[in-house]
Amino acid sequence: MILDERGKKYLLKEDCEFQSDLGIVTKEQIANCEIGDELKSHLDHTFKIVKPTVNDFIDLMDRRCSILVKKDIGTVLAYTGLGSGDRVVDSGTGAGAIALNFGNVVGDTGKVYTYEIRENIETFGINNIEVKNKDIKEGIDEQNIDLVFLDLPKPFEIFEDVYESLKVGGWLAVYAPYIDQAEIAYRVAKKLNFYNIEILETLERGLEVRPQGVRPKTRMVGHTGYLVFARKL
């Protein structure tokens, strides 16, 4: 990744020169640089080479729809205890923000199967993500899964299939923008004998630091969606 003087980020293409309104950086310069190096464009502007994280990929992805924000992604990862080597089924991929985070967390020994009817999902070279161009309502192919994550209008319609695909101790997590979706998901999960069923909402408020003191910011990341968790035991 290359960072300009304004803090704007760009992903570099292999064996190509970089061009922006601040000038051109040649492919020879890029080929011979290392992480942390500063490069000059032909207009004498400075660019820095930075190793991208999964959050940089998300910031730079082509967003054709809304994405899950960090507060909700973080809650899913922490609540389910997802870790290295785990296997995940994800449906309702959208732009792929949470799928990228799943792939980043489970590592080389783990696997993410993301069901999305739309093609051309960008995985940014995270090789443990398998995009399946299939409607998950037609069935879940995988078994002994550690986590099934659903971002669907009526996720509860496939809870029986989810239960069968999960290993004992595995988690179901649902993202629901509206409370009635979350309520129905809760009731259906309880009927199917899931355990540890919870509905959570995470709110994020930053602090601003001024010479006269520190106070909460006026604007905050409020309601985005409800998260429903249930565990197969």
Side-chain angles (χ1 to χ4, degrees), residues 175-220:
Y175 177 81
Y178 302 105
I179 191 65
D180 53 337
Q181 294 170 303
E183 180 188 2
I184 296 172
Y186 183 102
R187 296 186 185 282
V188 173
K190 188 173 183 179
K191 185 176 181 180
L192 293 173
N193 294 318
F194 278 96
Y195 289 79
N196 304 132
I197 309 170
E198 295 283 352
I199 302 175
L200 301 179
E201 181 185 24
T202 304
L203 306 177
E204 179 183 321
R205 183 170 67 176
L207 300 178
E208 57 184 29
V209 180
R210 296 180 175 181
Q212 60 268 41
V214 179
R215 53 163 289 165
K217 291 182 178 180
T218 303
R219 295 185 177 183
M220 62 181 290

Side-chain angles (χ1 to χ4, degrees), residues 4-212:
D4 70 17
E5 298 166 343
R6 303 164 295 194
K8 188 173 182 180
K9 299 180 285 191
Y10 308 84
L11 290 178
L12 295 170
K13 296 181 180 178
E14 188 175 356
D15 199 32
C16 291
E17 68 181 14
F18 170 77
Q19 299 184 19
S20 80
D21 58 319
L22 299 184
I24 298 172
V25 179
T26 68
K27 63 180 181 180
E28 289 77 19
Q29 288 176 280
I30 295 170
N32 294 318
C33 71
E34 296 180 353
I35 299 298
D37 285 353
E38 293 186 347
L39 306 178
K40 290 285 187 179
S41 72
H42 80 291
L43 296 178
D44 203 37
H45 288 284
T46 302
F47 293 82
K48 179 170 282 189
I49 302 298
V50 179
K51 182 180 179 180
T53 68
V54 68
N55 289 327
D56 295 315
F57 294 144
I58 293 169
D59 289 341
L60 295 169
M61 67 170 41
D62 181 17
R63 299 187 186 183
R64 301 178 184 177
C65 55
S66 61
I67 67 170
L68 266 73
V69 297
K70 295 173 185 175
K71 69 180 182 69
D72 295 323
I73 294 172
T75 301
V76 172
L77 296 177
Y79 200 93
T80 62
L82 194 70
S84 177
D86 284 351
R87 299 169 69 240
V88 180
V89 166
D90 165 41
S91 184
T93 312
I98 198 164
L100 292 176
N101 274 274
F102 289 152
N104 188 52
V105 169
V106 303
D108 294 338
T109 58
K111 188 75 174 182
V112 178
Y113 306 91
T114 185
Y115 287 70
E116 174 60 54
I117 299 174
R118 181 173 63 86
E119 298 182 356
N120 301 321
I121 302 298
E122 177 61 66
T123 59
F124 296 96
I126 300 179
N127 297 323
N128 58 2
I129 300 176
E130 179 181 335
V131 180
K132 308 187 74 167
N133 296 126
K134 175 183 174 181
D135 188 342
I136 198 169
K137 292 181 181 179
E138 297 174 2
I140 300 173
D141 301 326
E142 295 73 32
Q143 298 293 318
N144 295 314
I145 294 296
D146 296 281
L147 167 65
V148 175
F149 177 82
L150 304 177
D151 181 3
L152 303 170
K154 296 181 179 180
F156 38 81
E157 292 182 339
I158 63 168
F159 278 10
E160 290 186 20
D161 289 342
V162 169
Y163 192 90
E164 292 301 318
S165 71
L166 286 170
K167 65 169 56 173
V168 175
W171 284 92
L172 161 65
V174 172
Y175 177 81
Y178 302 105
I179 191 65
D180 53 337
Q181 294 170 303
E183 180 188 2
I184 296 172
Y186 183 102
R187 296 186 185 282
V188 173
K190 188 173 183 179
K191 185 176 181 180
L192 293 173
N193 294 318
F194 278 96
Y195 289 79
N196 304 132
I197 309 170
E198 295 283 352
I199 302 175
L200 301 179
E201 181 185 24
T202 304
L203 306 177
E204 179 183 321
R205 183 170 67 176
L207 300 178
E208 57 184 29
V209 180
R210 296 180 175 181
Q212 60 268 41

